[in-house]
Amino acid sequence: MMTTKTTASRARGAIFAAATVAATLALAGCASSPTRFYTLSAPPAAIPAVAQNAKLFIEVSPIALPERLARPQLVVRSSGANAGTRVDILEQERWSSPFNNELRDALASAIASRLGATDVSRSGRPTDQPVYRIAIELREFDAAPGDKVQATYGWTVTRSDNAKTSACQLTVAEPVAAGIDALVLGVQRTVADAAGAIAASVGTFKNGAAPACQG
């Protein structure tokens, strides 16, 4: 009988221990940091208001960018001794959609707002009006929390009815404070800078002048 009782006691102890471990793991899961989502779209009040130009149509192509950035997670430069050679992919700090999609939507919206134009990227091109096709490439991108966000944008503008094209490039650096929220605001500012420059180049190109490309 002693052996039977000891065996039963051990079995109950094992079950209790397993239940304790499961509860501990469940609590640890509940206590983990939540995933945070960010957007590049600026509030409407942050974009200069321009009267709608019913005869100006733009089409923004998908953004070309380095493969490492085409993901929903934020990609930032590592700090410390490995800052020059490593990047961190932040699993719990994410864009609301993959970065290339987030960037295209933010740029297209801001460019159209600055020009008072209609973005026909998803609605189809008009058959009786020229469309200014904008192809944008994010050529370089470096986001360092507590330091700066630096980006180089290149773009071409092509008129649909005569295939004339202009090309420009812009490098912009925005200082950022510590923290991911500050970093995201820095990325938003580079997008705003690029949108302003692209809109300006479309405007001058539409008027038949060569755009004054920034460095």
Side-chain angles (χ1 to χ4, degrees):
M1 288 295 294
M2 182 65 69
T3 301
T4 301
K5 288 182 178 180
T6 301
T7 301
S9 177
R10 288 177 178 172
R12 286 194 297 271
I15 293 171
F16 177 77
T20 302
V21 170
T24 301
L25 291 174
L27 288 173
C30 292
S32 62
S33 299
T35 301
R36 288 171 288 271
F37 294 91
Y38 300 90
T39 181
L40 283 176
S41 298
I47 301 175
V50 177
Q52 184 70 19
N53 185 342
K55 294 186 178 181
L56 180 57
F57 298 91
I58 65 169
E59 180 180 29
V60 181
S61 302
I63 306 298
L65 45 65
E67 186 66 28
R68 71 179 185 279
L69 300 174
R71 62 180 72 237
Q73 299 94 332
L74 270 70
V75 179
V76 303
R77 183 166 295 281
S78 298
S79 58
N82 297 315
T85 58
R86 282 179 46 190
V87 295
D88 293 328
I89 298 174
L90 307 183
E91 290 294 338
Q92 293 177 306
E93 311 287 352
R94 298 182 174 230
W95 302 108
S96 60
S97 63
F99 184 57
N100 47 319
N101 295 340
E102 190 76 21
L103 187 58
R104 197 219 75 87
D105 290 347
L107 283 168
S109 176
I111 294 167
S113 294
R114 283 168 168 79
L115 290 169
T118 300
D119 178 14
V120 298
S121 302
R122 295 190 175 101
S123 62
R125 305 168 188 163
T127 57
D128 58 344
Q129 296 289 339
V131 175
Y132 293 86
R133 299 169 181 161
I134 306 169
I136 305 170
E137 179 184 5
L138 180 62
R139 294 174 177 167
E140 297 178 3
F141 183 79
D142 184 31
D147 184 9
K148 66 179 179 180
V149 174
Q150 182 166 316
T152 297
Y153 297 89
W155 65 91
T156 59
V157 180
T158 304
R159 182 166 164 149
S160 63
D161 60 346
N162 58 23
K164 288 184 177 180
T165 300
S166 71
C168 285
Q169 178 172 296
L170 172 73
T171 297
V172 60
E174 293 286 348
V176 296
I180 298 302
D181 286 350
L183 184 81
V184 170
L185 289 174
V187 180
Q188 282 187 340
R189 290 195 295 271
T190 74
V191 171
D193 291 340
I198 295 169
S201 71
V202 172
T204 54
F205 183 60
K206 176 178 180 291
N207 293 329
C213 297
Q214 303 178 41

